[in-house]
Amino acid sequence: MALEALIFDVDGTLANTERDGHLVAFNKAFKELELDWFWTNELYHKLLDVTGGQLRIKHYLKTYRPDFECDDVDALAKKVHALKTKIFVRLTSTGKIPLRTGVARLFSEARAAGLRLAIATTTTPANVDALITHTLGTDALNWFEVIGAGDVVPNLKPAGDIYHYVLKQMNLNADQAIAFEDSHNGIISSSDAKLKTLITVNEYTKTHRFDGAMAVLDHLGEPKNKPFTVLEGAQTEHTYVGIDYLQELYAKNY
Ligand code: XBP
Ligand code: MG
């Protein structure tokens, strides 16, 4: 078998969308709808255990606001979430949600090397389209053979559904691909589909457990001036995630 494809999570992996985008958008939506809710960064860190914006809102109400009176929590969560998505999409066009270190470079190296690319995320499809378009250009949507997002599958991460879906769409076995994730829920999901996973942590996930990861890095690194640090896994001579490093990981792990 040979490495054929790279499958990327979005939130926290391609960009710090949670801190720079989703949290900001949630709070703006609450304000616009005159709800007396405000999520601090500290609270949001905890709320991230629950994936999916609507489920996160409902979890918040149940756990932190049992006093809040509402006849139809599902309808309210849907309404708040729809507005939050609009705000998030708007935010992506301001340039305030940049891609993480090394992401754009890795996409272009992977394309040049003939690797197939895909996305596997639990976020709303409109968010992915907007982020990719505004950071890489409209044409970049075509770089991804499959964009598996949100509700195309019944169960969000940590369930493995979205990775199973993407592999099936690409007609690939797990041992032909590598997954890129940033969180515990993410690697539980990719591992369920038997994918080996490379982790780049962020401020919300640096204390997570990543059992079974090929390596845990602080970021993907850049060749000239920004080497990555290996936080867990075998040390390497490589200083950034390029095709050679991925082939090294692939050979060691599959
Ligand atoms: C991402 C999420 C998402 C986003 C918001 O998890 O948890 O819920 O926070 O997206 P992962 P929506 O990175 O593991 O895919 O509000 O559109 O659901
Ligand atoms: Mg993520």
Side-chain angles (χ1 to χ4, degrees):
M1 281 294 167
L3 177 60
E4 282 222 16
L6 309 181
I7 308 176
F8 292 85
D9 168 49
V10 174
D11 292 310
T13 300
L14 299 190
N16 283 314
T17 46
E18 299 293 5
R19 184 198 62 198
D20 299 342
H22 293 298
L23 175 57
V24 179
F26 274 118
N27 280 326
K28 275 189 200 276
F30 302 158
K31 202 166 176 193
E32 249 179 69
L33 294 170
E34 295 179 355
L35 293 160
D36 68 336
W37 311 347
F38 181 78
W39 291 356
T40 61
N41 195 36
E42 197 188 357
L43 173 61
Y44 196 60
H45 194 158
K46 293 185 191 139
L47 294 174
L48 280 172
D49 286 346
V50 177
T51 53
Q54 288 191 51
L55 291 175
R56 190 169 298 143
I57 290 167
K58 288 191 257 185
H59 167 72
Y60 165 70
L61 286 177
K62 202 167 157 200
T63 313
Y64 296 92
R65 295 299 303 267
D67 57 304
F68 187 81
E69 283 177 23
C70 174
D71 295 339
D72 192 342
V73 172
D74 286 340
L76 178 62
K78 207 169 170 182
K79 182 172 157 192
V80 175
H81 187 255
L83 178 58
K84 174 251 167 192
T85 299
K86 262 195 204 159
I87 297 170
F88 180 93
V89 166
R90 220 184 295 143
L91 273 175
T92 60
S93 65
T94 64
K96 287 187 180 146
I97 317 180
L99 294 179
R100 293 188 61 187
T101 302
V103 170
R105 175 192 51 74
L106 179 57
F107 284 156
S108 99
E109 289 177 14
R111 294 180 70 231
L115 289 173
R116 297 159 68 189
L117 301 178
I119 298 265
T121 173
T122 56
T123 203
T124 303
N127 298 342
V128 186
D129 290 4
L131 180 72
I132 289 177
T133 305
H134 284 107
T135 52
L136 295 163
T138 324
D139 185 50
L141 285 176
N142 301 319
W143 300 354
F144 300 91
E145 198 174 314
V146 180
I147 297 186
D151 50 9
V152 290
V153 289
N155 303 301
L156 301 185
K157 295 175 190 176
D161 299 25
I162 196 70
Y163 279 103
H164 286 285
Y165 169 86
V166 168
L167 286 173
K168 193 159 179 232
Q169 294 290 313
M170 297 176 91
N171 199 18
L172 280 176
N173 294 322
D175 60 2
Q176 295 171 289
I178 284 177
F180 292 76
E181 276 287 352
D182 69 304
S183 70
H184 178 69
N185 280 333
I187 193 171
I188 298 288
S189 173
S190 55
S191 301
D192 184 74
K194 306 269 184 300
L195 284 155
K196 297 286 176 174
T197 305
L198 179 59
I199 301 287
T200 46
V201 295
N202 56 57
E203 68 175 85
Y204 295 120
T205 66
K206 61 188 176 199
T207 57
H208 284 191
R209 278 185 61 178
F210 296 110
D211 297 345
M214 295 195 295
V216 180
L217 311 175
D218 53 350
H219 50 69
L220 296 175
E222 289 291 11
K224 287 223 172 77
N225 48 14
K226 207 156 184 211
F228 62 53
T229 301
V230 179
L231 305 172
E232 284 175 48
Q235 294 300 322
T236 173
E237 304 231 304
H238 294 285
T239 58
Y240 66 95
V241 177
I243 307 307
D244 290 348
Y245 179 57
L246 292 179
Q247 292 291 6
E248 178 180 300
L249 288 175
Y250 183 77
K252 271 194 200 144
N253 286 278
Y254 279 98

